[in-house]
Amino acid sequence: MKLHEYQSKQIFSKFGIPVPRGRVASSSASVKQIAEELGSKVVVKAQVLSVGRGKAGGVRLADTPETAETLATQIMGMTINNLPVYKVLVDEAINIQKELYLGIAIDRVNSLPVIIASAQGGIDIEEIAQNSPEKIIKINIPLLLGLREYQIRSLALTTDLPKNYWRLFMAIANGLWQIFKQYDATLVEINPLVISGDSRLLALDGKIELDDNALFRHPDLVELRDLDMEDPIEIEARKYGLTYIRMNGDVGCMVNGAGLAMTTMDMIQLFGSEPANFLDIGGGAGAEKVAAAFRLILSDSKVKSVLINIFGGITRCDEVAKGIIKALDKIKPQIPIILRLEGNNAKEGHELLARAKLNVVDSFNEAAKLAVESVHKA
Ligand code: GDP
Ligand code: MN
């Protein structure tokens, strides 16, 4: 789950990381009012969960409240990387002297958090990382000890941060680490971290990404989720505890277990098509959940055939069969449904499906092949 810049900055503030004064707005009239209240030049910033808002024209400086209002109207009509802009953040404009980068992420290679800094932050950070990786400094954070003072000093030194900012830099890095730990984040990032004309060090932009698997420990954060930014099918899937991820192909898949789901997607590709989705109904899914999963797949208009691939362990094939039949009670799909159910209570499942005039294919191989062939016939 990703947080918006304005949400991230609110959390930064709580942890002692200085941010520009500002407020979020969802109408251009309130943008004008906020700009008046701030009483300075402002920056109007699209709140979308996407990188590169600046380059897309979603971050604009305004000299007057009237200009801020006009710009807000323009920005709120934009889509950035397919995401509609419904809100803007209005911040006091900062006179930027220098843009740095500071963030904490998960280093998957070393299985540790990593703090990353660069003396050259800002909108070109990706290019810098690509073309001059030596300008990006990375230090792993040991889990047992946490972020150590000497590590932060080392970052300050290698980024040539002037000495008078070191104390504040320490506090900011520590704040980021506290947020990373306490919120079960996978990314906390300040880009740019700026030195301002009036000698402040502050987070001009903020990004926090949370680990969905740890969200149950943070009920208060779940409310920060912005459903406008998400796929409606994925939102619906979450309600049923289903793991659904939309893909680009046309073979819908319903599988139990992430490993089998991925293998199923591979098989679809092997036979020459692309999966429309990843969908794991999980272990021990009952008929209700299966029916919901099936409806979700069928609600995607890209889907030209459905492959249901179940290997019953904890999951019972007869429960899955009941769920499928239940869903078919309400919707009559015009596309081929290919079923393969093996394992726990497979015989009972097959019988139920046969009574409902649904054929079950014997092997995984055959099922995947059929699912792909029926797309090409469609
Ligand atoms: P991003 O493009 O989505 O990362 O959005 P940012 O919030 O990082 O803004 C992009 C760029 O806009 C920054 O790197 C700055 O160069 C510029 N910018 C943002 N806020 C201000 C501001 O208050 N004053 C000035 N002068 N530039 C700003
Ligand atoms: Mn940025």
Side-chain angles (χ1 to χ4, degrees):
M1 170 177 160
K2 295 177 182 175
L3 300 187
H4 279 296
E5 175 191 11
Y6 77 93
Q7 297 167 324
S8 303
K9 281 177 165 172
Q10 281 165 7
I11 295 174
F12 284 177
S13 275
K14 276 192 213 155
F15 284 78
I17 299 171
V19 296
R21 290 179 301 128
R23 267 200 294 137
V24 72
S26 44
S27 76
S28 37
S30 47
V31 166
K32 185 172 176 222
Q33 199 192 334
I34 295 168
E36 276 162 0
E37 283 168 23
L38 288 171
S40 66
K41 287 185 184 178
V42 297
V43 56
V44 184
K45 312 181 75 177
Q47 297 299 287
V48 279
L49 298 175
S50 160
V51 293
R53 297 167 305 160
K55 283 185 178 166
V59 177
R60 307 281 300 273
L61 290 162
D63 285 338
T64 65
E66 288 72 28
T67 317
E69 186 178 15
T70 314
L71 289 174
T73 312
Q74 287 171 18
I75 293 174
M76 283 195 274
M78 289 173 67
T79 48
I80 299 178
N81 291 322
N82 291 325
L83 293 168
V85 184
Y86 294 125
K87 295 193 199 104
V88 292
L89 175 63
V90 190
D91 268 358
E92 58 168 322
I94 302 295
N95 171 6
I96 300 177
Q97 205 113 91
K98 189 171 166 55
E99 296 190 320
L100 302 103
Y101 175 98
L102 184 65
I104 300 177
I106 303 270
D107 173 356
R108 289 174 199 275
V109 174
N110 295 309
S111 306
L112 282 174
V114 58
I115 184 159
I116 304 166
S118 174
Q120 285 183 32
I123 54 174
D124 291 323
I125 193 72
E126 277 83 12
E127 285 78 53
I128 295 170
Q130 212 34 186
N131 303 330
S132 357
E134 73 285 352
K135 289 186 178 152
I136 313 270
I137 306 141
K138 298 179 179 177
I139 302 177
N140 279 124
I141 302 173
L143 283 176
L144 217 53
L145 298 173
L147 181 62
R148 311 295 288 169
E149 203 176 297
Y150 77 88
Q151 297 183 307
I152 309 175
R153 282 179 189 283
S154 163
L155 290 179
L157 194 68
T158 26
T159 51
D160 287 326
L161 186 72
K163 259 278 166 36
N164 50 319
Y165 294 107
W166 279 35
R167 188 183 291 275
L168 193 49
F169 185 72
M170 296 256 178
I172 293 173
N174 267 317
L176 278 186
W177 173 238
Q178 292 310 320
I179 296 169
F180 190 84
K181 267 197 312 189
Q182 288 182 33
Y183 287 69
D184 291 309
T186 51
L187 176 72
V188 288
E189 183 185 86
I190 305 174
N191 185 35
L193 174 68
V194 303
I195 299 176
S196 67
D198 53 357
S199 301
R200 290 188 283 163
L201 186 62
L202 72 180
L204 210 70
D205 187 10
K207 188 188 274 178
I208 297 179
E209 293 182 12
L210 304 168
D211 182 349
D212 282 341
N213 292 313
L215 268 183
F216 71 96
R217 302 208 286 202
H218 309 283
D220 48 321
L221 293 180
V222 177
E223 288 164 28
L224 298 180
R225 198 188 274 279
D226 183 352
L227 297 179
D228 286 338
M229 298 285 139
E230 295 187 24
D231 189 314
I233 302 188
E234 289 181 20
I235 297 169
E236 190 67 14
R238 202 177 304 121
K239 285 188 201 155
Y240 292 96
L242 296 160
T243 310
Y244 173 100
I245 296 159
R246 192 196 283 271
M247 316 280 289
N248 296 322
D250 36 25
V251 181
C253 333
M254 174 158 93
V255 189
N256 65 319
L260 186 59
M262 287 194 279
T263 314
T264 307
M265 290 161 64
D266 283 350
M267 290 290 271
I268 290 168
Q269 286 184 315
L270 183 71
F271 286 111
S273 225
E274 295 280 332
N277 66 279
F278 169 96
L279 173 56
D280 174 12
I281 59 169
E288 287 294 337
K289 199 169 172 181
V290 172
F294 195 28
R295 282 197 305 270
L296 286 177
I297 295 175
L298 294 174
S299 72
D300 180 353
S301 56
K302 281 196 322 299
V303 173
K304 300 229 171 55
S305 79
V306 180
L307 173 55
I308 299 180
N309 186 19
I310 303 295
F311 187 80
I314 306 168
T315 306
R316 286 171 28 196
C317 291
D318 57 326
E319 275 295 317
V320 174
K322 279 181 200 157
I324 294 165
I325 294 164
K326 195 182 171 97
L328 289 175
D329 247 10
K330 298 234 174 64
I331 21 177
K332 305 280 174 232
Q334 302 301 314
I335 53 173
I337 314 289
I338 290 66
L339 298 142
R340 180 253 179 179
L341 291 87
E342 223 27 271
N344 187 8
N345 277 9
K347 191 161 163 285
E348 289 81 349
H350 292 186
E351 279 167 17
L352 286 170
L353 291 166
R355 250 180 271 157
K357 306 217 168 358
L358 291 165
N359 283 327
V360 180
V361 175
D362 278 338
S363 78
F364 182 0
N365 216 55
E366 198 188 334
K369 201 165 161 233
L370 252 178
V372 171
E373 280 171 7
S374 36
V375 166
H376 294 312
K377 273 185 210 140

